[in-house]
Amino acid sequence: MGWTFKLHAAVAGVLSVSMLTVAMVTALPGMTAVPGAHALALVGIACLFPLFLAGQVRLVRARATKATTWLALLCLPAAVRAALVVLVGGGFALSFLSIAWSANLQDPEIRDGRYYAFDTHRGVRETVEVSRSQYEGALTADAVVMLATPAVFLAVAAGAVLVAGELRRSPVAVGGGAPRRPGGGYVQA
């Protein structure tokens, strides 16, 4: 696997880990949004699209199919596979738990010293006045979702790049059947 694949996966993985760590700290009881969480969310979202798109392009260029993708994933070290599963699973769990904890309140705001949030629980969806604790809970839930959701996609991007790198490195090992050149390397089909 080339160094560009490793660098691409490392950038996506580090962003995913940092965003999930800040999301977990934010989700702790009694915590509000960690200082700098919104800036990290903006950086993560800004990096998400190019990293994810480049990962998908690398998979297409490696001519990945369902079967070869699965075999290449199995060729990755167990620790790497476990880390990807933890990142994706942890991101999903944090997102769903924070949505459940938010008590169906979204978009918290302060107007004229009062706390308001959009209530999706009642039959009529409207902006209602809420207590300070409900406001802080909705604010925390929004911050967690804004961090955890892009972190999942960044972890998927890291996995896609590693799979593409494995496919490009050793197509014979994953059933590609490409013959070896006499001087080394593989003949592109």
Side-chain angles (χ1 to χ4, degrees), residues 139-162:
L139 195 63
T140 300
D142 279 357
V144 170
V145 169
M146 284 296 292
L147 289 164
T149 303
V152 169
F153 287 103
L154 286 166
V156 169
V161 169
L162 291 173

Side-chain angles (χ1 to χ4, degrees), residues 110-124:
I110 300 174
R111 281 190 254 150
D112 300 325
R114 293 181 162 179
Y115 302 104
Y116 294 93
F118 187 75
D119 190 359
T120 61
H121 182 67
R122 300 184 181 155
V124 178

Side-chain angles (χ1 to χ4, degrees), residues 4-22 40 43-44 47-48 50-52 55 79-80 82-88 91 147-148 150-162:
T4 59
F5 289 92
K6 293 177 184 176
L7 180 64
H8 185 165
V11 169
V14 166
L15 269 171
S16 179
V17 168
S18 61
M19 291 176 78
L20 276 180
T21 302
V22 172
L40 180 61
V43 168
C47 293
L48 169 66
L51 289 172
F52 191 80
V80 173
L84 291 172
V85 167
V86 166
L87 287 174
V88 171
L147 289 164
V152 169
F153 287 103
L154 286 166
V156 169
V161 169
L162 291 173

Side-chain angles (χ1 to χ4, degrees), residues 26-150:
T26 302
L28 290 174
M31 292 292 291
T32 56
V34 174
H38 287 84
L40 180 61
L42 290 175
V43 168
I45 291 170
C47 293
L48 169 66
F49 295 108
L51 289 172
F52 191 80
L53 183 62
Q56 298 308 308
V57 167
R58 285 180 180 235
L59 276 177
V60 169
R61 288 192 64 210
R63 296 185 184 131
T65 64
K66 287 181 185 178
T68 58
T69 300
W70 181 250
L71 291 172
L73 185 64
L74 292 177
C75 289
L76 292 174
V80 173
R81 286 181 297 181
L84 291 172
V85 167
V86 166
L87 287 174
V88 171
F92 274 125
L94 273 174
S95 293
F96 289 125
L97 287 174
S98 67
I99 290 170
W101 291 331
S102 70
N104 298 316
L105 297 175
Q106 300 173 353
D107 300 328
E109 60 182 319
I110 300 174
R111 281 190 254 150
D112 300 325
R114 293 181 162 179
Y115 302 104
Y116 294 93
F118 187 75
D119 190 359
T120 61
H121 182 67
R122 300 184 181 155
V124 178
R125 300 172 69 123
E126 61 185 353
T127 301
V128 296
E129 187 174 351
V130 295
S131 68
R132 181 183 171 102
S133 63
Q134 288 175 316
Y135 166 79
E136 289 174 354
L139 195 63
T140 300
D142 279 357
V144 170
V145 169
M146 284 296 292
L147 289 164
T149 303

